[in-house]
Amino acid sequence: TGEIFGPVLLIIILHLPSIRRASMNFLSQILTPQRTVCRIAEASKERLFETIARIFCDDQQSLPYDGVLDRLIAREKLGSTGMGQGIAIPHCRISHCTKPLGSLLTLEKAIPFNATDDVPVDLLFVLLVPVHAHQEHLDILANIAQLISQADICERLRASRDDRALYEIACNAVI
């Protein structure tokens, strides 16, 4: 189905010459300040996914809450989206989604995410894409993977103390 994207696949994607690279910051095209949330105090992956679904649905009223939550959970059941080093990239395809949508979150306290390195997650890039946006989905995941490979950017994101600062750091980061 093309839905299973783990760390190994993301590494392979990074090396594919056909993947379009972001010349400007791609996050500014998929993030909004409303979907950028700093220091969420959720204690479990399940509660976090509920919060993520609510963030998207509050900002995009055409998205059904139950549909977003169900798709995020279904995708996670295929394999953890925890990439390691405390970072996760939950992502899924949504039928009611008309363009790629992103959300960026930091957590007050890292939570277990079944990542390959077993490091709890405190930094999340969440991606919803239209059902038929296969290549765009891969392109965005590749760009996120390239971004999170930069330790200094991840440190700055984690050090953010408010939503606006988190959004600005993300949107001004250069890949």
Side-chain angles (χ1 to χ4, degrees):
T1 65
E3 280 290 314
I4 300 176
F5 299 106
V8 175
L9 185 55
L10 284 176
I11 290 168
I12 293 168
I13 288 170
L14 286 173
H15 292 92
L16 288 175
S18 64
I19 297 294
R20 291 178 292 147
R21 296 286 179 227
S23 56
M24 297 182 68
N25 189 302
F26 70 99
L27 287 178
S28 63
Q29 298 170 21
I30 63 172
L31 281 180
T32 65
Q34 296 79 15
R35 294 193 308 266
T36 305
V37 185
C38 188
R39 307 221 173 257
I40 291 177
E42 296 301 342
S44 72
K45 189 191 296 190
E46 294 77 20
R47 293 289 172 250
L48 178 60
F49 279 13
E50 291 170 0
T51 298
I52 290 168
R54 178 59 48 218
I55 289 168
F56 276 107
C57 295
D58 285 350
D59 185 59
Q60 298 289 311
Q61 305 211 346
S62 63
L63 293 175
Y65 172 82
D66 289 335
V68 172
L69 180 60
D70 291 348
R71 293 299 300 144
L72 285 168
I73 291 170
R75 168 55 192 89
E76 196 67 21
K77 285 181 180 178
L78 294 174
S80 177
T81 55
M83 299 289 106
Q85 300 179 2
I87 302 167
I89 311 174
H91 56 95
C92 63
R93 294 188 180 119
I94 301 285
S95 60
H96 292 87
C97 188
T98 59
K99 64 181 181 178
L101 302 171
S103 181
L104 173 61
L105 307 106
T106 60
L107 304 181
E108 190 68 40
K109 182 180 178 199
I111 61 172
F113 227 84
N114 298 323
T116 56
D117 64 359
D118 289 323
V119 173
V121 165
D122 66 347
L123 179 60
L124 295 98
F125 292 88
V126 186
L127 178 64
L128 305 183
V129 295
V131 172
H132 300 292
H134 302 289
Q135 189 59 51
E136 195 168 19
H137 191 173
L138 292 174
D139 291 346
I140 295 169
L141 287 173
N143 285 320
I144 292 171
Q146 190 171 7
L147 182 70
I148 66 173
S149 71
Q150 300 179 49
D152 61 319
I153 292 174
C154 292
E155 287 175 28
R156 291 177 56 216
L157 293 170
R158 286 182 167 115
S160 297
R161 297 289 175 222
D162 62 64
D163 299 350
R164 189 68 194 178
L166 182 62
Y167 177 77
E168 292 296 328
I169 292 167
C171 289
N172 291 317
V174 178
I175 312 178

